[in-house]
Amino acid sequence: MLDNLFRTARSSVPNAPRVESGGVPPARTPHTPVALKGPEGLMGAPKRLQGADEQSSPVRSPLPPSALNRRQPVIDRSQSEIQPHVSGGHSSPMHETSPSQPVRRQTLGQLLAEALREEKAEKAQQAQQAKQARLAALAQLVHSALPDGGQAMKRLKARAAREHPATLADRLLFIRHGAPKPMEGPRKTAFEALVRDDLWAMAMAGGIDPLVAVDKMAEALEEGILGQGILKSDLELLTQVLDDLAIDRLYTRLNLKMTDDTMPAFTNAQVLEAPVELGEGKINKVYAVKIENTDGSELDAVFKPLNPEVPSVEEWSAAARLAGISREDPQTAMRNLATVAYAKMIGFHVVTDTRVALIDIGDDPFNPALGLIMERARGEPAEEVDAEVFKEGSVCAEVTKLQLLDHLTGEADRYDKNYFVELGSDGRARVMGIDNDTSFGAALTDPAGAKAPPTNPEVLVIDPALLGLRGTALPPVVDTDMESAVLALTEDGIVSILEDKLNDAEVAAAIQRYRGVRQHIAELREAGLVIAPHEWSRSDIQELFTPENSYLGRDREFA
């Protein structure tokens, strides 16, 4: 394209004046413009430029016509008359010329801008077409599921007819019942039941979740597919009923941000077996549920609803308090999601994959629970694992990975009941940490800040500030794979995965812990305590683990 533009530009430049044989070129003075011969004179130049333009591709001026008109030079016709000139006995007509106006051509930037405008217009057209298709599908769903608008709309249209009777039947209704009364008390309750029935009909007709049907009906109202011919006050009431049922209200109650990570990965549509209560902790109940995974397989999962109630001081975890986690707004969902994201970034697959789910745990499909769903951990909790298992090389490596991850995330409540160990028949171990609710506290800037008080009975004075913490000091040894994984982390990378989940103080604390872990690994490298991955079973390595510096030493002692 640029080559064509350059060739077009060269072709439009007038040739230099030529002198006939025996002629003498006129002298150039400030008052004597250069004259071109015959058809190359002033009156012929526009024709030549016009011909060059016809051979090139059309060029559009980047300026509006009014701007171009303002910039045209004014031509003095008295200076453009043909003047005779005699040289060497031969006369030839000569034309005075004024400086020619250059042809304005588009630059590469202007061409690119025009291409972007065309692309933007095309995308806008595609978006409009997609919207029209979506609204057509929505209208089809509404009309098929709700003949004549459904029960709720029939009720509201009848109220509007009594308010503004237009037919004899409407006037008779007005005479018999009077103007419609405000939709309050039992009337409002009965109306809400009609709305739920219509929503359920839409869910069944469209094969969608009931809460998705809520959004569909709300969109139908907004686009005028529903809601025609009813009172303004009744339309506001219907909108309020839908808002009360919408998924947004759950996020608002829990003060949970709506992001890609917090949108429900599973709903009632994927539930294969109804949730069964497993137990109840201090704050949350836990349910076993079987769901259909994204690949179509069955997944045994654990569902923990998020509790909007503020726990009492007695119920609140001491570890969370010491870690600097707010009792009024603990944000446990974000802490679990942040832990999973950190584990994936570093490549330590030692915590259960955790996502958000919206599941009915009672008998009301329009009032499901928003909570965390995770794969049910396999194996046994560490407290039930045989002590000899903790000496297996693969178990040592995986438990140390979990410990390192906890130092990075600031997990303050990792004890032998909230991580599981599975040792396969091939000798490979799988370790899964659960319940990462007390991670990323802003008060833990030291990676070993969650170290629990000593268990040695000879220690009579214990710092009360440590009571409730269940971590350890940093590990006495790591392998080269762990070293590489930690050193591959960057502060910018850590911020990028945490900034939409945690507050600024919590992200800053995470950076401090990361620096501490890096420093510790550098010290281990200097001391010759960074080993090869196959060396975990060495007896001299096993002797390094104590209850104070490792989960391995702590938990095998009580296994």
Side-chain angles (χ1 to χ4, degrees), residues 319 336 339 350-352 382 399 402-403 405-407 409-420 431-439 450 452 468-472 551 554-555:
N336 278 273
T339 298
V350 289
V351 291
T352 53
V399 173
L402 176 62
Q403 182 182 340
L405 178 66
D406 286 346
H407 289 307
T409 64
E411 174 58 54
D413 196 29
R414 183 75 67 205
Y415 64 112
D416 57 2
K417 288 185 179 180
N418 71 1
Y419 77 94
F420 284 65
V431 170
M432 285 285 119
I434 63 172
D435 292 339
N436 304 296
D437 299 355
T438 54
S439 58
L469 295 173
R470 292 177 170 175
T472 68
Y551 296 169
R554 179 193 68 187
D555 297 334

Side-chain angles (χ1 to χ4, degrees), residues 202-221:
M202 288 181 64
M204 294 300 99
I208 56 179
D209 189 88
L211 287 186
V212 176
V214 173
D215 291 338
K216 295 288 187 184
M217 182 177 285
E219 185 179 11
L221 283 176

Side-chain angles (χ1 to χ4, degrees), residues 274-306:
V276 177
E277 189 173 335
L278 279 176
E280 185 172 0
K282 285 186 177 182
I283 302 175
N284 300 87
K285 291 183 178 180
V286 181
Y287 297 82
V289 60
K290 183 170 288 187
I291 59 175
E292 181 181 3
N293 210 342
T294 52
D295 60 359
S297 62
E298 292 185 0
L299 178 65
D300 287 325
V302 173
F303 179 62
K304 184 166 70 172
L306 297 171

Side-chain angles (χ1 to χ4, degrees), residues 389-400:
V389 171
F390 285 109
K391 297 180 181 180
E392 294 288 335
S394 62
V395 173
C396 291
E398 293 303 301
V399 173
T400 303

Side-chain angles (χ1 to χ4, degrees), residues 7 31 40 65 288 416 471 493 530 533:
R7 284 196 294 271
H31 304 288
E40 302 296 328
D416 57 2
V530 177

Side-chain angles (χ1 to χ4, degrees), residues 247-433:
I247 186 175
D248 300 28
R249 85 191 193 285
L250 296 174
Y251 285 80
T252 301
R253 286 174 58 202
L254 295 164
N255 192 26
L256 181 61
K257 290 189 293 185
M258 298 185 75
T259 67
D260 290 342
D261 289 334
T262 62
M263 293 306 295
F266 299 101
T267 65
N268 291 324
Q270 287 82 42
V271 173
L272 301 176
E273 294 182 6
V276 177
E277 189 173 335
L278 279 176
E280 185 172 0
K282 285 186 177 182
I283 302 175
N284 300 87
K285 291 183 178 180
V286 181
Y287 297 82
V289 60
K290 183 170 288 187
I291 59 175
E292 181 181 3
N293 210 342
T294 52
D295 60 359
S297 62
E298 292 185 0
L299 178 65
D300 287 325
V302 173
F303 179 62
K304 184 166 70 172
L306 297 171
N307 193 342
E309 303 298 327
V310 177
S312 65
V313 175
E314 293 75 22
E315 293 173 326
W316 187 233
S317 162
R321 174 177 57 81
L322 293 170
I325 298 173
S326 168
R327 178 171 65 91
E328 291 76 16
D329 186 22
Q331 291 290 316
T332 55
M334 288 302 195
R335 297 181 194 283
N336 278 273
L337 295 173
T339 298
V340 171
Y342 210 132
K344 289 180 178 178
M345 179 175 64
I346 198 173
F348 289 179
H349 303 295
V350 289
V351 291
T352 53
D353 191 16
T354 304
R355 284 170 280 182
V356 174
L358 191 63
I359 296 177
D360 176 23
I361 56 176
D363 55 359
D364 185 358
F366 293 102
N367 189 28
L370 188 68
L372 300 175
I373 194 164
M374 59 206 79
E375 181 183 3
R376 197 165 184 174
R378 298 197 294 266
E380 298 174 312
E383 66 173 348
E384 299 177 15
V385 173
D386 188 86
E388 292 301 311
V389 171
F390 285 109
K391 297 180 181 180
E392 294 288 335
S394 62
V395 173
C396 291
E398 293 303 301
V399 173
T400 303
K401 284 181 185 177
L402 176 62
Q403 182 182 340
L404 266 179
L405 178 66
D406 286 346
H407 289 307
L408 291 166
T409 64
E411 174 58 54
D413 196 29
R414 183 75 67 205
Y415 64 112
D416 57 2
K417 288 185 179 180
N418 71 1
Y419 77 94
F420 284 65
V421 178
E422 180 186 39
L423 184 61
S425 57
D426 58 354
R428 299 183 63 181
R430 184 179 185 185
V431 170
M432 285 285 119

